[in-house]
Amino acid sequence: MAQQRAERADAVRNRRAVLHATERLLAEGGGEHVSLDRVAALAGVGKGTVFRRFGNRAGLLQALLEERSRELRDAITNGPPPLGPGAPVRERLLAFLDGLGAIAEDNAVLLSAHEQACAEDKYDDPSYQFWHRHLSVLFAEARPDLDADFLAHAVLAVFDGNLIRHMTPPDDPRRFTRSIQQMATALLDRGDHQAVIPQPIPEQDR
Amino acid sequence: MAQQRAERADAVRNRRAVLHATERLLAEGGGEHVSLDRVAALAGVGKGTVFRRFGNRAGLLQALLEERSRELRDAITNGPPPLGPGAPVRERLLAFLDGLGAIAEDNAVLLSAHEQACAEDKYDDPSYQFWHRHLSVLFAEARPDLDADFLAHAVLAVFDGNLIRHMTPPDDPRRFTRSIQQMATALLDRGDHQAVIPQPIPEQDR
DNA sequence: GCATATCCGGACTGACAGTCCGCCTCAGTG
DNA sequence: CACTGAGGCGGACTGTCAGTCCGGATATGC
């Protein structure tokens, strides 16, 4: 039922080659220069093969993204706390943002290219829906007074490849993750006391 | 100095015609179908004219967006409170989000098309920088303990045409604005009830 | 009127996503 | 091994689009 017949050996080989070629092109040139012609050429396969495997440009990039995030997905579903079930909401949320932030920082170019290719249907992508549901549940639990569904979308909207590249200085590759964790923390804190430790910081002008 | 010579009358007429044609195409078809060929044809001008006026696709859409938001920009800089200077931070932020939210809700398709066309250089766009600076100043004042620069980017990241279309039900066109106001409010509230002295707001520099 | 700086139109180029179909190869069978 | 056909393969082909270019038209100042 899962598969009537195993995938043919050459098909498997080609799928790997295409993904690998895509990685290489993304790594060397800017994400815009990754045309499917070039991917096919570098992978040593025909263009038709790329489309048969991945459907379209968005599908190819999505497959790559999925590969990079499968581990995190599994850890959230089945792994030990704080990523997996069982930890307090706050710890779980921070662990999740740490994981997703790392992936995003490491793959900002891929992320940009994917956003570019996806256009509308980004929100139907199963990966997106997984992250959204996870965040949504956490927010709903911690802040039933807010619109958790919206907050989940809002947090994910910040995982924008271009934005990440724009705000990540070379000497501080994890600035993005720290900042979004700080923002999420601020969102979790209700009007009542606790945490955050307000730093004096008199004021900042720019 | 402002202009060595006034713009020629036909040039002005054509610019209007092109912008108007773009509006019409955006309004009837989905944003993706607004090719510059079509815009030129509908406007009754040559393609070259469109490019001479607006530089490229992104420039055209940006011009349209700027037209739709000029009023809000002016109100923030020179208008009366709560949009303009003088109101407490919280009121000013909510008024701003109300205004920008309305524009975004009314122009979600245009917004999507612009994001698609802009790609990287969205963050260099003067309009974007204006909104960002405004938000950044407000956040810095209300929450000196947080990363105001990041928060401003994060809030603007949520103004995504596709996201807005995705989450706006036909019977509640202002859901987006309400939700983002709620989120911003949550971000302003410090964890403790430490008095946030409502300062008379000196003004913003630059 | 006349001169010329400016603008106009649309043919042209190059690049790309996605399709199609005849050929080839793998893998299962006897 | 030889056979066979389902499925995979390649790359030519199509349609579309952004952006360029230049000969010709025209508004404007004198």
Side-chain angles (χ1 to χ4, degrees):
Chain A
M1 172 179 169
Q3 62 219 33
Q4 339 176 332
R5 194 178 284 244
E7 199 174 21
R8 255 167 61 168
D10 50 348
V12 174
R13 207 182 326 123
N14 282 335
R15 197 181 56 231
R16 293 246 170 79
V18 168
L19 286 174
H20 189 243
T22 309
E23 285 174 344
R24 272 189 54 188
L25 284 177
L26 279 170
E28 56 192 47
E32 318 302 277
H33 308 117
V34 183
S35 77
L36 297 208
D37 289 284
R38 250 191 282 261
V39 168
L42 182 58
V45 305
K47 212 176 160 181
T49 302
V50 178
F51 280 92
R52 200 168 328 96
R53 284 288 143 242
F54 300 100
N56 57 28
R57 183 184 170 75
L60 170 60
L61 298 168
Q62 193 172 310
L64 212 46
L65 230 28
E66 203 126 340
E67 194 180 280
R68 305 277 167 96
S69 58
R70 194 179 344 264
E71 209 176 328
L72 177 60
R73 241 171 114 149
D74 289 349
I76 287 170
T77 312
N78 305 314
L83 260 182
V89 168
R90 183 200 180 84
E91 276 68 36
R92 220 169 156 211
L93 179 61
L94 289 179
F96 168 57
L97 290 177
D98 182 63
L100 196 61
I103 291 170
E105 282 156 356
D106 289 347
N107 297 279
V109 173
L110 170 55
L111 220 52
S112 303
H114 181 243
E115 287 150 12
Q116 186 78 10
C118 268
E120 325 236 353
D121 40 282
K122 171 176 163 190
Y123 304 100
D124 300 333
D125 172 7
S127 252
Y128 184 90
Q129 293 189 335
F130 180 86
W131 308 134
H132 180 268
R133 203 165 334 110
H134 184 53
L135 278 174
S136 191
V137 167
L138 293 178
F139 276 124
E141 187 165 334
R143 295 294 306 259
D145 56 319
L146 297 183
D147 182 346
D149 183 76
F150 175 85
L151 285 184
H153 281 303
V155 167
L156 289 177
V158 189
F159 283 79
D160 174 289
N162 290 317
L163 178 58
I164 293 174
R165 278 189 286 168
H166 183 259
M167 70 160 44
T168 300
D171 62 316
D172 183 8
R174 305 234 56 197
R175 175 186 170 198
F176 172 76
T177 295
R178 264 188 290 110
S179 294
I180 199 154
Q181 283 181 318
Q182 188 192 56
M183 174 172 128
T185 300
L187 282 171
L188 284 193
D189 282 338
R190 225 192 212 89
D192 48 283
H193 79 316
Q194 96 183 188
V196 177
I197 311 158
Q199 310 222 11
I201 299 183
E203 198 200 320
Q204 66 213 49
D205 47 273
R206 304 157 38 76
Chain B
M1 172 185 170
Q3 61 220 33
Q4 341 175 335
R5 193 179 285 241
E7 200 173 23
R8 254 169 61 168
D10 51 348
V12 174
R13 206 183 326 123
N14 283 334
R15 195 181 57 231
R16 292 248 171 78
V18 168
L19 286 174
H20 189 243
T22 309
E23 284 174 347
R24 274 190 52 188
L25 284 177
L26 281 169
E28 55 192 50
E32 318 301 277
H33 308 116
V34 183
S35 76
L36 296 208
D37 288 284
R38 250 190 282 261
V39 168
L42 182 57
V45 305
K47 211 176 160 180
T49 303
V50 178
F51 281 93
R52 200 167 329 96
R53 283 291 141 242
F54 301 100
N56 57 29
R57 184 184 169 76
L60 170 60
L61 298 168
Q62 192 172 312
L64 212 45
L65 229 31
E66 202 126 342
E67 194 179 279
R68 304 275 167 95
S69 59
R70 194 181 344 264
E71 210 176 326
L72 177 61
R73 240 171 117 149
D74 289 349
I76 288 170
T77 313
N78 305 313
L83 261 181
V89 167
R90 183 200 178 83
E91 276 69 35
R92 225 174 152 207
L93 179 60
L94 289 179
F96 168 58
L97 291 177
D98 180 63
L100 197 61
I103 291 171
E105 283 157 353
D106 290 347
N107 298 279
V109 174
L110 170 55
L111 220 54
S112 304
H114 181 242
E115 285 149 13
Q116 186 79 6
C118 268
E120 326 236 352
D121 41 284
K122 172 177 162 188
Y123 304 100
D124 300 333
D125 172 6
S127 252
Y128 184 90
Q129 294 189 334
F130 180 86
W131 310 134
H132 180 268
R133 198 160 44 233
H134 184 53
L135 278 175
S136 190
V137 168
L138 293 178
F139 277 124
E141 189 165 330
R143 295 293 306 256
D145 56 315
L146 297 184
D147 183 345
D149 184 75
F150 175 85
L151 285 184
H153 280 303
V155 167
L156 290 178
V158 189
F159 283 80
D160 174 289
N162 290 317
L163 178 58
I164 292 174
R165 277 190 285 168
H166 183 260
M167 69 160 47
T168 300
D171 63 316
D172 183 9
R174 305 232 58 196
R175 175 186 170 198
F176 173 76
T177 296
R178 262 188 290 111
S179 295
I180 199 154
Q181 284 180 317
Q182 187 192 56
M183 173 172 130
T185 300
L187 282 171
L188 284 194
D189 282 341
R190 233 195 204 84
D192 49 41
H193 281 152
Q194 196 171 96
V196 176
I197 313 146
Q199 308 203 14
I201 295 189
E203 60 95 33
Q204 68 266 36
D205 46 77
R206 297 177 60 85

